[in-house]
Amino acid sequence: MADVKTGDTVRIHYTGTLTDGTTFDSSMGRAPLEFTVGSGQIIPGLDKAIPGMVVGDMKKVEIPHIEAYGPVNPDARQAVPREQIPEDIPTDPGTQLQMQTPDGRTVPVTIVEVTETEVTLDANHPLAGKDLIFDIELMAIV
């Protein structure tokens, strides 16, 4: 049976959890995730765990935040004057919005704090700063 090498396209089923056991994502009930190993399509820590596996292998991988979505970047938080937020946009903490950068890119942000005068937006990935655990099963080498 062949083992996975960098450059192979593979299909895996996975369940991702936080260190407290909370599941944040899973491919169960959907098609397996397909990607090319070593291509940067998935987080580095998970990508590094796949080479050497053979179809049917299962493993648990603990990934430190630095090899997942990175540390929380305080510069990715921005306080915006409340009057700059249109009235029809909800401003409840936890609400996810899309912002446009000056160069036209769309960036997802989360409202993290609201005061009388400001709404603080966070452009960090929701999993930034978190260590992750993945249970993976190699389904196929394509």
Side-chain angles (χ1 to χ4, degrees):
M1 209 177 243
D3 62 329
V4 176
K5 295 170 203 53
T6 298
D8 287 344
T9 298
V10 298
R11 290 186 186 126
I12 65 168
H13 269 303
Y14 67 90
T15 298
T17 57
L18 303 176
T19 55
D20 68 3
T22 303
T23 298
F24 62 84
D25 194 16
S26 178
S27 66
M28 298 308 165
R30 313 189 301 237
L33 175 65
E34 182 175 306
F35 62 95
T36 301
V37 177
S39 67
Q41 294 173 296
I42 62 172
I43 60 173
L46 188 55
D47 212 4
K48 291 177 186 176
I50 307 297
M53 292 182 73
V54 298
V55 173
D57 277 357
M58 299 173 78
K59 69 164 68 167
K60 182 182 289 275
V61 183
E62 295 184 24
I63 301 174
H65 71 275
I66 206 73
E67 290 188 352
Y69 294 95
V72 172
N73 177 0
D75 294 335
R77 284 184 155 210
Q78 179 180 2
V80 176
R82 195 173 182 129
E83 65 268 8
Q84 288 185 10
I85 308 286
E87 287 189 28
D88 62 327
I89 302 289
T91 56
D92 302 315
T95 300
Q96 295 186 332
L97 305 172
Q98 301 284 325
M99 291 192 62
Q100 198 159 21
T101 63
D103 64 0
R105 290 181 302 121
T106 301
V107 177
V109 296
T110 303
I111 295 174
V112 292
E113 186 179 350
V114 179
T115 68
E116 298 264 333
T117 59
E118 294 181 326
V119 176
T120 303
L121 306 172
D122 188 348
N124 281 292
H125 188 283
L127 295 173
K130 297 184 184 327
D131 297 333
L132 308 177
I133 300 167
F134 282 88
D135 288 299
I136 57 177
E137 179 178 5
L138 181 64
M139 305 305 293
I141 302 173
V142 182

